[in-house]
């Protein structure tokens, strides 16, 4: 009697192909503007190029698995945890929002799933990007309360150094286990920051649409100088973007280097403790 075990490449390829197809179906090539196109923490130019030149950014296994992880996590949490209406589509001022969950029209929940070994907080670019997305949803819907819930897939680990071979990390013995951390976010109705965020959204949406319609990337800001060295070298559109014919207009340059609302003293009140109330 023998139990045979072999690699099944055929099945892996089938699964890969079907998931890629599914992910491809989600790629945006139309002129509808989604919140994720215009948040300042992502590159608005990159969003433009991926709409206009999708063939330059072929789907990688990494992006498919990132997509699957996000979808799976959201599906499991919204269905198994039974916590509200999943993914309602809301459109206001020509901007489309897909908050992950709405709890009885009073609270918006944004679910994030990450491989980050570091537990994120307001000092991290990624956390601020998640927060900005949630703030946009709160402004669009007029809702005051939000929850940002981040699921960490791995035990906490810390970066030590990088060299030509790669990155080196260590897992502290007392590091946090994989799990979920949630943050309450509150932005009162009538708060001036709502108006500022709304103007920011509409301005970026109008600029994005203008660039698409005129097929002109130069009116869109590149990433701020301070972020380019860590992100641009890996961008599929690097050569196109840095080409002399795709320079930035003066207005776009100014926009790229504007002070972020969240960096202005007094705008954020961040406390890394469990909140018992929203006050
Ligand atoms: S190269 Fe940098 S600035 Fe240009 S599209 Fe890519 S990420 Fe944006």
């Amino acid at each position: 009697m023998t139990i045979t075990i072999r690699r099944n490449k055929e099945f892996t390829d089938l699964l890969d192909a079907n998931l890629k197809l599914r992910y491809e179906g989600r790629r945006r090539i139309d002129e509808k503007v989604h919140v994720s196109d215009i948040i300042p923490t992502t590159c608005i130019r990159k969003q433009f190029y991926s709409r206009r030149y999708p063939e330059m950014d072929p789907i990688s296994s990494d992006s498919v698995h990132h997509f699957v992880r996000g979808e799976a996590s959201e599906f499991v949490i919204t269905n198994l945890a039974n916590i509200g209406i999943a993914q309602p589509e809301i459109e206001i001022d020509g901007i489309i929002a897909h908050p992950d969950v709405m709890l009885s029209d009073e609270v918006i929940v944004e679910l994030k799933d990450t491989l980050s070994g570091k537990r994120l907080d307001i000092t991290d670019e990624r956390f601020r990007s998640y927060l900005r997305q949630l703030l946009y949803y709160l402004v669009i819907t007029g809702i005051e309360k939000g929850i940002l819930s981040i699921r960490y897939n791995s035990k906490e680990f810390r970066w030590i150094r990088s060299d030509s071979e790669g990155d080196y990390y260590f897992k502290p013995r007392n590091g946090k286990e994989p799990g979920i951390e949630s943050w309450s976010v509150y932005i009162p109705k009538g708060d001036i920051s709502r108006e500022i965020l709304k103007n920011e959204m509409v301005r970026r949406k109008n600029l994005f649409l203008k660039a698409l319609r005129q097929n002109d990337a130069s009116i869109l800001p590149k990433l701020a100088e301070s972020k380019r060295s860590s992100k641009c070298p890996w961008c599929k559109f690097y050569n196109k973007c840095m080409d002399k014919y795709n320079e930035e207009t003066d207005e776009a340059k100014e926009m790229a280097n504007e002070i972020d609302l969240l960096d202005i003293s007094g705008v954020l009140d961040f406390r890394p403790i469990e909140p018992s109330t929203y006050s």
Side-chain angles (χ1 to χ4, degrees), residues 42-100:
T42 57
C43 178
I44 195 168
R45 246 188 200 227
K46 194 171 177 184
Q47 297 300 105
F48 167 88
Y49 287 131
S50 61
R51 285 281 216 298
R52 284 287 171 260
Y53 308 98
E55 69 286 354
M56 289 180 71
D57 187 16
I59 293 174
S60 65
S61 294
D62 192 40
S63 47
V64 170
H65 286 289
H66 182 72
F67 161 73
V68 170
R69 230 170 6 84
E71 291 290 299
S73 177
E74 198 176 290
F75 180 82
V76 167
I77 290 175
T78 50
N79 283 279
L80 297 189
N82 194 21
I83 52 166
I85 309 167
Q87 290 265 16
E89 182 173 299
I90 299 160
E91 183 172 348
I92 290 183
D93 289 323
I95 303 168
I96 298 170
H98 285 276
D100 286 333

Side-chain angles (χ1 to χ4, degrees), residues 43 45-46 49 221-223 228 231-232 235-238 241-242:
C43 178
R45 246 188 200 227
K46 194 171 177 184
Y49 287 131
K222 297 179 184 180
L223 277 181
R228 284 190 201 165
K231 295 200 173 159
C232 295
C235 175
K236 298 277 174 22
F237 306 107
Y238 181 86
C241 177
M242 299 298 167

Side-chain angles (χ1 to χ4, degrees), residues 81-147:
N82 194 21
I83 52 166
I85 309 167
Q87 290 265 16
E89 182 173 299
I90 299 160
E91 183 172 348
I92 290 183
D93 289 323
I95 303 168
I96 298 170
H98 285 276
D100 286 333
V101 179
M102 281 180 78
L103 304 181
S104 61
D105 289 345
E106 285 174 8
V107 183
I108 286 185
V109 183
E110 187 56 19
L111 302 167
K112 294 294 180 195
D113 184 277
T114 179
L115 294 174
S116 171
K118 182 172 186 275
R119 296 314 182 242
L120 307 173
D121 65 26
I122 199 67
T123 57
D124 296 284
E125 185 69 24
R126 197 177 319 179
F127 185 94
R128 291 164 72 96
S129 168
Y130 296 163
L131 174 66
R132 189 59 147 257
Q133 194 175 352
L134 177 59
L135 288 173
Y136 274 17
Y137 293 153
L138 294 174
V139 170
I140 285 173
T141 56
I143 290 175
E144 294 185 305
K145 296 173 187 172
I147 294 174

